[in-house]
Amino acid sequence: MKQFIYADNAATTKLNKAAFEAMIPWLLDEYGNASQPYAFARKPKKALSEAREIIAECIKALPEEIYFTSGGTESDNWAIKGSALADPDKRVTITSAFEHHALLHSCEAIERLGYPVAYLMPTADGIITVEALGDIISDTTYLVSVMYANNEIGTIQPIKELCEITHSHGALFHTDAVQAIGHVEIDVQKLGVDMLSASAHKFNGPKGIGFLYIRNGTKILPYADGGAQESKHRAGTENIASIVGMASALKENCDKLESNMAYIKSLECNLLEGLRQSQIPFVRNGGANTLPGLLSLSFNGADGEAILHRMDLMSISISTGSACDSLNTEVSHALKAIKLDESLAKGTIRISLGKNNTEEDVHAIVNALEKILVLLNP
Ligand code: PLP
């Protein structure tokens, strides 16, 4: 048996070996600044534009529509604040009540500046419906931002349909696809989105790097003023090694998307079947359409925190919700938004399986849960 089982892939993922190897030259030998005019800067400049092309191809965007950032948090901050501040009429931003805090706190920041924000509630199954958006969208809406897939319960949102109704009211559409990209197909043309946030460490790339897709012609203010990097929209010397690593990881995951999805889905099915056979009563949150491997499981009357710590003592890493909330023992805002009964919400854990997990891991997780929930609590 493995000494350690990592089942918190929604918090972060293991770096792909090829991505790590692709990064090395840019850290050691080819350390030139891509903005300089001499020969030593030519290779990093070329690497930068090749990475941009690779990433654009993966999501069916144009290379000049990819803006490198430090990750999902920065991309979300930029999309919300950069859009609002570009609108002199201070029209309404609409988002959902169960977005990641990177998005929600950015919305609170623009509210403090006098920009109105409206919050959509998900259904009990964790879906933001077109009807819910239809009820509040109007011609005074400037931006709608709804995440592609929820990071706590994994539910995939009807982005194409939400985007269509948004555009019919002349507003812009942003999606936080941090949990989804590299794990399910993302095609910005098919979806029709104007902006999309991504973070490399969620798709087996390095930490501290991501990008914001901004469709050509979208009105948005620059994120950082300074040098001319990122078409004068996000100043600062580029992190070439991480950008190259991100492109390599995204390409590898997108090339193997179908087989990874099928493999992770089979692990997920076996975990659920194992739990059913062990006769542990549980509720799986979210409907049928969830990210492969992301399971939000509630055990009535149990304590999610205690389960997490007991699993940890058995060298198994899982989570109770979003990574950013791990120090906060209150019921998460996402579980509150789907109006999960409090005794179920308190007994909720998140298991997120990835391509590096095995059947052996799944058995060990089920056995550990059985021990904790049945044998230790008869
Ligand atoms: N958005 C979502 C949906 C996330 O799950 C996360 C991270 O957990 C973020 C944004 C923040 O991304 P990053 O860690 O790259 O700042």
Side-chain angles (χ1 to χ4, degrees):
M1 192 177 128
K2 269 198 219 167
Q3 284 183 324
F4 161 70
I5 294 170
Y6 184 72
D8 197 16
N9 288 277
T12 198
T13 53
K14 185 176 175 176
L15 185 64
N16 283 345
K17 194 152 182 282
F20 170 66
E21 281 162 2
M23 291 168 72
I24 297 171
W26 310 102
L27 292 165
L28 287 178
D29 302 320
E30 302 292 348
Y31 53 85
N33 184 326
S35 300
Q36 292 302 93
Y38 41 70
F40 188 53
R42 240 169 259 147
K43 276 196 190 168
K45 194 179 293 177
K46 191 161 172 266
L48 198 60
S49 69
E50 281 173 2
R52 212 184 295 280
E53 279 167 24
I54 291 168
I55 290 169
E57 172 60 29
C58 289
I59 64 165
K60 305 288 176 280
L62 296 170
E64 69 267 24
E65 295 174 321
I66 305 297
Y67 293 80
F68 297 126
T69 66
S70 65
T73 300
E74 183 182 320
S75 299
D76 284 349
N77 270 262
W78 187 5
I80 296 299
K81 296 174 185 171
S83 304
L85 298 178
D87 176 29
D89 299 327
K90 293 197 171 179
R91 279 170 289 172
V92 183
T93 295
I94 298 177
T95 189
S96 84
F98 72 165
E99 298 288 314
H100 190 272
H101 279 144
L103 202 300
L104 288 177
H105 291 169
S106 298
C107 285
E108 286 165 20
I110 61 165
E111 280 186 281
R112 287 193 293 274
L113 296 174
Y115 293 84
V117 180
Y119 297 88
L120 295 161
M121 295 309 287
T123 63
D125 271 345
I127 299 294
I128 301 297
T129 63
V130 176
E131 291 71 31
L133 178 58
D135 283 346
I136 63 168
I137 196 165
S138 76
D139 293 348
T140 63
T141 304
Y142 188 70
L143 174 78
V144 176
S145 178
V146 175
M147 67 203 316
Y148 192 96
N150 183 269
N151 51 305
E152 285 190 50
I153 51 179
T155 43
I156 296 174
Q157 306 304 320
I159 296 300
K160 186 173 184 291
E161 292 74 18
L162 293 170
C163 195
E164 275 166 11
I165 177 170
T166 299
H167 286 161
S168 73
H169 286 271
L172 296 171
F173 193 92
H174 165 255
T175 188
D176 172 342
V178 165
Q179 288 292 338
I181 187 164
H183 303 289
V184 291
E185 191 204 353
I186 299 283
D187 178 327
V188 293
Q189 303 311 331
K190 281 191 201 158
L191 293 172
V193 298
D194 302 295
M195 287 173 279
L196 177 143
S197 298
S199 175
H201 75 102
K202 308 282 189 181
F203 54 78
N204 307 95
K207 293 174 179 55
I209 192 78
F211 65 88
L212 180 65
Y213 157 78
I214 308 176
R215 187 180 289 280
N216 272 340
T218 304
K219 216 171 132 203
I220 185 163
L221 291 192
Y223 185 73
D225 299 309
Q229 294 93 350
E230 302 306 295
S231 314
K232 297 191 179 155
H233 273 64
R234 200 269 189 178
T237 303
E238 301 90 345
N239 184 346
I240 308 284
S242 294
I243 289 169
V244 168
M246 169 163 67
S248 162
L250 187 60
K251 178 152 174 44
E252 181 174 335
N253 281 18
C254 289
D255 285 350
K256 297 180 184 153
L257 201 64
E258 295 299 325
S259 57
N260 283 346
M261 279 171 68
Y263 175 67
I264 298 169
K265 211 66 193 163
S266 78
L267 293 180
E268 175 190 313
C269 290
N270 291 345
L271 196 148
L272 289 170
E273 190 46 38
L275 281 180
R276 277 184 211 112
Q277 281 179 11
S278 71
Q279 305 201 335
I280 306 168
F282 72 93
V283 171
R284 190 207 174 153
N285 302 308
N289 195 16
T290 47
L291 285 176
L294 203 158
L295 292 129
S296 171
L297 303 174
S298 299
F299 304 95
N300 202 4
D303 178 348
E305 282 296 312
I307 300 174
L308 182 153
H309 292 299
R310 285 190 164 160
M311 297 279 273
D312 192 27
L313 290 173
M314 297 172 178
S315 302
I316 301 175
S317 300
I318 57 147
S319 150
T320 49
S322 120
C324 315
D325 278 347
S326 62
L327 298 177
N328 184 351
T329 52
E330 278 200 5
V331 168
S332 83
H333 69 286
L335 298 181
K336 275 187 188 155
I338 61 167
K339 298 190 177 63
L340 190 64
D341 181 82
E342 197 169 336
S343 72
L344 280 173
K346 282 196 173 140
T348 299
I349 58 168
R350 180 185 70 182
I351 296 173
S352 43
L353 302 166
K355 62 180 183 173
N356 295 314
N357 285 115
T358 61
E359 281 299 342
E360 211 187 4
D361 293 350
V362 166
H363 291 306
I365 292 169
V366 173
N367 286 342
L369 283 172
E370 196 175 9
K371 236 186 215 155
I372 294 165
L373 291 158
V374 182
L375 304 178
L376 298 180
N377 287 313

